[in-house]
Amino acid sequence: MTDATAAELPRLVIEGLHKRFGAVAATAGVDLEVRPRELHALIGPNGAGKTTLISQIAGEIFPDQGRILIDGRDVTRMAAYARAGQGLARSFQITQLFTDFTALDNVAMAIQARQGGNWRCFGSARQDRSLREPAMAHLTAVGLGHRADEVVADLAHGECRQLELAVALAAEASLLLLDEPMAGLGPEESRQMTRILQGLKGRYAILLVEHDMDAVFALADRVTVLVYGRTLFTGTPDEVRAHPEVRAAYLGDGV
Ligand SMILES: Nc1ncnc2c1ncn2[C@@H]1O[C@H](COP(=O)(O)OP(=O)(O)OP(=O)(O)O)[C@@H](O)[C@H]1O
Ligand SMILES: [Mg+2]
């Protein structure tokens, strides 16, 4: 494959994906593509299957049918840790951080884990400039540089969401799966997170699950609408806003 061909390849391709939990068809035919450096939003009502889809892309659960390709490579049956090696990182709908450690420590640990280090040796690594300097750069990128030495337990909820993003960046990921980074944030915190994501946009390929439509329409290059586990529509924010079925299924008349 030439470099030119590789450059045009979508970062992520989902083809005909299906996943059942007993009687529930959580994923019932999803097709989706995330292009290089695209910020692609995934929206849909509660229970539409957004988190289930993210978990399948990350390799935490396996689909019953269909394919997942990262950079043209079929990863459908690949373990989660191996997908991380393909440049993939996810953040969770519910924050997962080490609460007794500082913000900087959390990012440094993610860098160390990426380098194959052992967390039990972290005490000495804390002083390691080769971890501290890149960790500080990731914290600054998410607007948390001034809170580097705060223990996570003392951070505000919005700051935890920012920190979680820094942890994902520390994995040296180039394809980010973000599951509701604005969940539980107040209006000002949400605007702050939107600004942060705006800063990351164009540098990473991002699949963003979000219910905050102001953020989605401000940030997304394209939007995929998921309803009952199926792709209903993919288009630009303007196309999505104008789409009658999308309005009926999700947006309501106020948008
Ligand atoms: N592990 C599981 N076992 C059984 N059912 C599940 C499981 N995980 C998800 N489901 C079901 O699959 C459907 C899709 O859930 P999912 O969490 O993916 O939705 P979602 O779009 O992320 O919703 P929300 O916007 O509320 O986060 C729901 O009906 C849910 O109850
Ligand atoms: Mg969800």
Side-chain angles (χ1 to χ4, degrees):
M1 187 187 297
T2 66
D3 284 353
T5 320
E8 295 311 312
L9 215 57
R11 294 301 317 277
L12 174 69
V13 176
I14 313 279
E15 291 175 353
L17 213 67
H18 287 73
K19 175 71 185 178
R20 295 191 77 88
F21 297 111
V24 178
T27 308
V30 173
D31 296 289
L32 186 152
E33 266 187 27
V34 179
R35 297 170 180 159
R37 293 172 299 285
E38 178 181 36
L39 197 150
H40 194 117
L42 181 64
I43 67 171
N46 294 117
K50 302 179 298 295
T51 296
T52 304
L53 178 61
I54 295 284
S55 301
Q56 290 172 90
I57 300 168
E60 288 143 19
I61 55 177
F62 289 126
D64 301 326
Q65 269 180 58
R67 294 204 309 164
I68 301 169
L69 308 173
I70 296 177
D71 296 327
R73 180 170 182 192
D74 190 331
V75 300
T76 314
R77 299 281 143 199
M78 188 185 273
Y81 73 87
R83 290 181 208 202
Q86 297 273 294
L88 186 76
R90 83 166 283 188
S91 75
F92 290 86
Q93 195 166 353
I94 298 165
T95 296
Q96 299 194 335
L97 295 166
F98 296 101
T99 51
D100 294 340
F101 288 83
T102 67
L104 190 74
D105 290 343
N106 269 267
V107 182
M109 280 191 282
I111 295 171
Q112 196 178 35
R114 168 74 186 174
Q115 292 170 349
N118 186 338
W119 287 353
R120 278 175 296 176
C121 303
F122 185 68
S124 55
R126 203 175 239 173
Q127 307 306 329
D128 186 339
R129 283 183 57 198
S130 73
L131 294 177
R132 288 184 65 86
E133 285 177 6
M136 197 62 201
H138 291 308
L139 280 180
T140 304
V142 302
L144 267 189
H146 63 298
R147 302 286 274 161
D149 295 324
E150 290 297 325
V151 172
V152 168
D154 292 336
L155 295 178
H157 179 66
E159 292 175 326
C160 288
R161 306 304 315 215
Q162 290 167 238
L163 177 55
E164 209 187 27
L165 200 52
V167 167
L169 299 181
E172 284 178 35
S174 55
L175 173 56
L176 303 179
L177 311 175
L178 305 180
D179 196 357
E180 295 197 36
M182 276 94 170
L185 301 190
E188 183 43 47
E189 287 177 323
S190 291
R191 282 192 288 274
Q192 161 86 340
M193 181 60 84
T194 303
R195 286 192 291 272
I196 292 163
L197 293 179
Q198 199 86 54
L200 301 181
K201 186 176 151 138
R203 291 159 54 203
Y204 299 86
I206 301 177
L207 183 61
L208 170 70
V209 173
E210 193 44 68
H211 284 290
D212 181 332
M213 286 305 112
D214 290 340
V216 164
F217 288 131
L219 287 165
D221 297 303
R222 292 189 304 154
V223 181
T224 289
V225 185
L226 212 61
V227 178
Y228 297 121
R230 281 189 315 108
T231 305
L232 177 65
F233 184 70
T234 295
T236 63
D238 284 346
E239 288 166 344
V240 165
R241 268 200 204 93
H243 194 284
E245 271 186 86
V246 175
R247 296 180 73 97
Y250 187 51
L251 295 178
D253 284 327
V255 179

